[in-house]
């Protein structure tokens, strides 16, 4: 049995080892990092049996304690999923190295050379839920961006994560880098995560990946700077000037293509000028696909539509449910979105350029989409190649976070004896 | 007498008015914002007497309560200082508008047009000490970057700040923008600042400007994202391959050019190979200018050098004092800096390109300077034109923060009925 003080000491010691490792990693060349990523991928495949055996323990434990089947499914690894993790690491190796990129540069009037250069954060903490594949993803993205990773998965995946991290560490070491660049945060229960959140100065950035509850608790408790990710109460607004065929396709896609993800639509707003034309078809199409509609008075006139409660407008269902309302005009849609959006992704469907301009300028979200499904807000879709999450905050990174978003910058100023 | 609950309500109401104002300000054109900045400058000059009278009240109150003369001096306004505030606003008007800048753009394989565009944060809180000129500076920088400003100055400058904000608000309104874009945070004592720090969701970003104590308390208490500014324990490392004339000029400039600023040098490290040559001259030059040297054993062999205590290595003197040590090599200098630097600005003096490369890559600071005084880390010197502060954190902005650093981004994604 470990005490709180033990855990604090262990987590801080891990963070200090990560800091030491980060110094070497910051100087590692792209070739060295890519070699390590390749070795990590190879090792996961070579030691597949160990990984699957550890995962089987987690799955057995989860089933034994009555965990819902969909959670157990997210926890379960099989040869294909592990191959996917290895493939993900190889893809990260194929991406350009963000470290060393000169973001801005000039020669000042006095001859000083000014360069703003991308550098790693240093030590990055990732707190995440269920899926053990995040362990490999996060380790790979951190390593490529020159950051030491402190990984804190959920207790339910502890055996899987322990083995995966052990496999990755030995590969990193074999490739000549410091294995402390990839560590699991010690400590049982919530203790370890709590110490991590208070390790200001030891940990440079914390990134929570998971449900709204996890993210809220990290944001509120952490004194380490946090990048908030992933809660999405996304809207689709069908304008008076919408092409209703496009609108129908976009609403159906945004709601039903995949329901458990943060860029799925959770709320539909329809301009009243097209309500009589559009409502019957969109209600039919959604209900055909099993979607429950929580509608305002106009929507609730139709069969099968449930009357919306005030809470519905703020709810991220992550399931086959959607809230829906008719609005008098674009400004009312914008006001509704301001009041209820989680500022992730909001879309307008319109053929009117003025309406599109006004909507994109007025809606305050990580992504504002015109005539496109909210499902496109995604690092892969945006061509970033790998994504640690989708930031819904305004500081540092907003929207899908690729490798450049996993870095800070420093100014390098070169003179020849310059004084003021 | 106002109660805590009153203050909370007042501050939140002010933040909500700021939010409303921010919606309009985000859409304001550069021409509209520059017109408002010009009107603000004109109004400060036209109503100079009111501003000076209010300031005289503050000065009288400060003197009456026994405030040290140097603090009273920072509080005091005169026609020149107010003219400087007006000039600062005109200079901000002359800078390019960061809002709308396309940071990144491409057309994806499926034809979607992706644009990452600079947008204002929304509502920015600034918590600052003594100097009433910050009120006009901060209001101008926020307005130009499209942000509504919630300004929280010190109690000692309350009369000055109240009048300045009143003058600026009437100018903003006269120029056709919402005056709630510039507000003083209500509430006496620390109450108002505390509510501001807890107004997550209402306030997008908090920027503390002032001493280390103010900044620490904001960083620790705030649930609103903070941009940390301005604490500088800056180092100058004189390498074995230094040109000692340049080194002398740089050390003297970095320490004595202006002592009360965050980019002044506070610590000197000298490679042992040049210690015998360099120590006598640098000690002479510094002592001639009244600098007290807190030295390690090697330095303390010289007359007048005080033996350093362990605390000295971590002290930001902001006065004519400096800590000083001899180090065996560059790596030891880097280790010393890692242990003690506040990650603001650290300089190396060397003619050896390899040493310069290793130092700039290894030292983790907002600015790393080669053969140049730490005093150059400054928005004005870097050519940014206006500066809200110097960020010493790694998230979002690092180093001098100009107008672009006062913005976030959003992705605007344009399609023609695109679905996944």
């Amino acid at each position: 049995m470990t005490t709180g003080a033990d855990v604090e000491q262990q987590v801080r010691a891990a963070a200090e080892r990560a800091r030491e490792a980060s110094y070497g990693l910051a100087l590692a060349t792209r070739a060295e990092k890519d070699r390590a990523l390749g070795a990590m991928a190879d090792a996961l495949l070579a030691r597949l049996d160990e990984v699957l055996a550890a995962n089987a323990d987690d799955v057995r434990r989860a089933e034994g304690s009555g965990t819902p089947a969909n959670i157990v499914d997210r926890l379960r690894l099989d040869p294909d999923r592990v191959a996917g993790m290895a493939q993900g690491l190889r893809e990260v190796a194929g991406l350009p190295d963000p470290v060393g990129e000169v973001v801005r540069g000039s020669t000042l009037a006095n001859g000083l050379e000014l360069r703003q250069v991308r550098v790693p954060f240093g030590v990055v903490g990732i707190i995440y839920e269920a899926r053990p594949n995040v362990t490999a993803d996060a380790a790979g993205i951190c390593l490529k961006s020159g950051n030491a990773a402190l990984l804190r998965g959920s207790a339910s995946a502890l055996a899987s994560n322990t083995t995966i991290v052990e496999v990755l560490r030995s590969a990193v070491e074999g490739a000549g880098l410091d294995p402390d660049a990839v560590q699991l945060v010690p400590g049982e229960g919530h203790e370890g995560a709590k110490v991590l959140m208070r390790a200001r100065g030891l940990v440079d950035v914390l990134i929570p990946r998971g449900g709204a509850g996890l993210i809220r608790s990290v944001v509120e408790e952490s004194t380490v700077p946090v990048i908030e990710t992933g809660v999405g109460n996304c809207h689709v607004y069908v304008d008076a000037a919408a092409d209703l065929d496009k609108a129908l396709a976009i609403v159906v896609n945004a709601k039903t293509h995949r329901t458990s993800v943060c860029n799925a639509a959770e709320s539909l707003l329809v301009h009243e000028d097209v309500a009589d034309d559009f409502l019957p078809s969109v209600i039919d199409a959604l209900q055909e696909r099993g979607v429950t509609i929580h509608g305002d008075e106009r929507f609730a006139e139709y069969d099968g539509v449930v009357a919306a409660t005030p809470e519905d407008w703020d709810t991220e269902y992550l399931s086959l449910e959607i809230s829906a309302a008719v609005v008098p005009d674009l400004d009312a849609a914008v006001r509704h979105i301001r009041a209820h959006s989680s500022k992730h992704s909001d879309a307008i469907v319109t053929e009117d350029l003025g309406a599109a301009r006004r909507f994109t300028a007025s809606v305050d979200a990580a992504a504002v989409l015109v005539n496109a499904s909210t499902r496109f807000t995604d690092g892969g879709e945006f061509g970033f190649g790998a994504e640690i999450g989708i930031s819904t905050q305004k500081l540092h990174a907003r929207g899908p976070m690729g490798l450049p978003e996993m870095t800070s910058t420093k100014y390098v100023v070169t003179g020849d004896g310059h004084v003021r």
Side-chain angles (χ1 to χ4, degrees), chain A:
Chain A
M1 183 68 203
T2 53
T3 68
D6 285 345
V7 171
E8 166 134 28
Q9 203 190 13
Q10 286 167 21
V11 174
R12 294 184 70 91
E16 273 158 18
R17 287 193 303 272
R19 172 69 60 201
E20 273 304 314
S22 78
Y23 294 141
L25 201 53
L27 302 179
T29 61
R30 171 172 181 178
E32 290 167 328
K33 293 186 286 190
D34 289 352
R35 201 153 46 229
L37 289 162
M40 289 156 76
D42 290 345
L44 281 176
L45 298 179
R47 295 170 67 179
L48 175 65
D49 292 346
E50 286 172 65
V51 171
L52 293 183
N55 182 251
D57 284 350
D58 282 333
V59 168
R60 219 171 3 250
R61 205 153 33 91
E63 286 174 338
S65 67
T67 307
N70 63 328
I71 308 280
V72 173
D73 180 58
R74 285 165 58 184
L75 182 60
R76 185 177 283 118
L77 293 176
D78 58 30
D80 274 0
R81 283 186 174 181
V82 177
M85 290 158 62
Q87 182 54 26
L89 289 166
R90 289 193 211 287
E91 282 166 13
V92 170
L95 293 171
D97 189 343
V99 174
E101 186 196 345
V102 177
V103 175
R104 168 154 66 173
S106 61
T107 300
L108 304 181
N110 57 11
L112 274 181
E113 288 172 21
L114 183 69
R115 303 282 180 271
Q116 186 181 17
V117 184
R118 283 201 188 284
V119 295
F121 285 126
V123 178
V124 174
I126 318 262
I127 300 182
Y128 55 101
E129 290 176 328
R131 301 172 205 244
N133 59 309
V134 173
T135 307
D137 283 5
I141 289 173
C142 286
L143 189 130
K144 179 76 183 228
S145 54
N147 295 296
L150 288 172
L151 304 168
R152 176 70 190 186
S154 65
S156 63
L158 186 59
S160 313
N161 289 337
T162 303
T163 301
I164 292 167
V165 166
E166 207 271 293
V167 168
L168 298 179
R169 283 170 59 90
S170 66
V172 168
E173 189 163 28
L177 296 179
D178 186 336
D180 284 333
V182 180
Q183 293 181 75
L184 215 57
V185 175
E188 292 161 36
H190 292 295
E191 253 339 293
K194 278 201 173 143
V195 178
L196 201 61
M197 292 185 222
R198 297 276 151 186
R200 193 179 175 92
L202 281 176
V203 177
D204 293 298
V205 184
L206 263 188
I207 304 176
R209 286 185 62 169
L214 170 77
I215 290 163
R216 197 177 326 111
S217 91
V218 173
V219 163
E220 282 172 11
E221 289 180 40
S222 182
T223 58
V224 173
V226 172
I227 301 181
E228 212 177 317
T229 64
V231 175
N233 183 17
C234 303
H235 294 73
V236 177
Y237 164 61
V238 178
D239 186 49
D243 174 321
L244 296 184
D245 292 333
K246 293 179 193 167
L248 188 67
I250 287 169
V251 171
V252 168
N253 182 265
K255 179 65 260 181
T256 68
H257 180 255
R258 203 167 150 203
T259 56
S260 65
V261 288
C262 58
N263 60 14
E266 306 290 6
S267 200
L268 167 65
L269 303 172
V270 178
H271 191 291
E272 66 179 359
D273 287 0
V274 293
D276 286 340
D277 279 353
F278 189 59
L279 264 51
S281 60
V282 77
I283 291 170
D284 260 11
L286 289 170
Q287 290 182 339
E288 233 170 59
R289 286 163 181 83
V291 177
T292 302
I293 301 169
H294 302 265
D296 70 346
E297 283 176 18
R298 283 295 296 278
F299 270 88
E301 288 167 11
Y302 292 83
D303 276 354
V305 172
V306 181
T309 65
E311 292 71 44
D312 278 307
W313 311 117
D314 297 308
T315 300
E316 188 189 13
Y317 299 108
L318 298 174
S319 65
L320 286 170
E321 294 181 84
I322 193 166
S323 63
V326 171
V327 291
D329 54 26
L330 186 146
D331 288 340
V334 167
R335 278 196 305 276
H336 180 103
I337 291 170
R338 278 179 183 158
H340 303 290
S341 169
S342 64
K343 305 186 178 179
H344 185 300
S345 296
D346 299 302
I348 181 173
V349 186
T350 190
E351 300 297 311
D352 174 351
L353 183 57
R357 257 176 78 99
R358 204 135 49 89
F359 188 86
T360 54
S362 303
V363 168
D364 181 25
V368 185
L369 303 103
V370 179
N371 294 335
S373 168
T374 54
R375 288 280 293 122
F376 284 107
T377 306
D378 173 271
E381 293 293 323
F382 278 12
F384 298 171
E387 165 190 296
I388 196 84
I390 296 178
S391 164
T392 51
Q393 69 178 28
K394 297 188 193 177
L395 274 194
H396 187 73
R398 199 175 192 204
M401 293 179 62
L403 292 173
E405 285 72 27
M406 292 295 287
T407 64
S408 182
T409 60
K410 74 165 64 147
Y411 286 99
V412 176
V413 185
T414 309
D416 189 32
H418 283 65
V419 295
R420 282 179 74 180

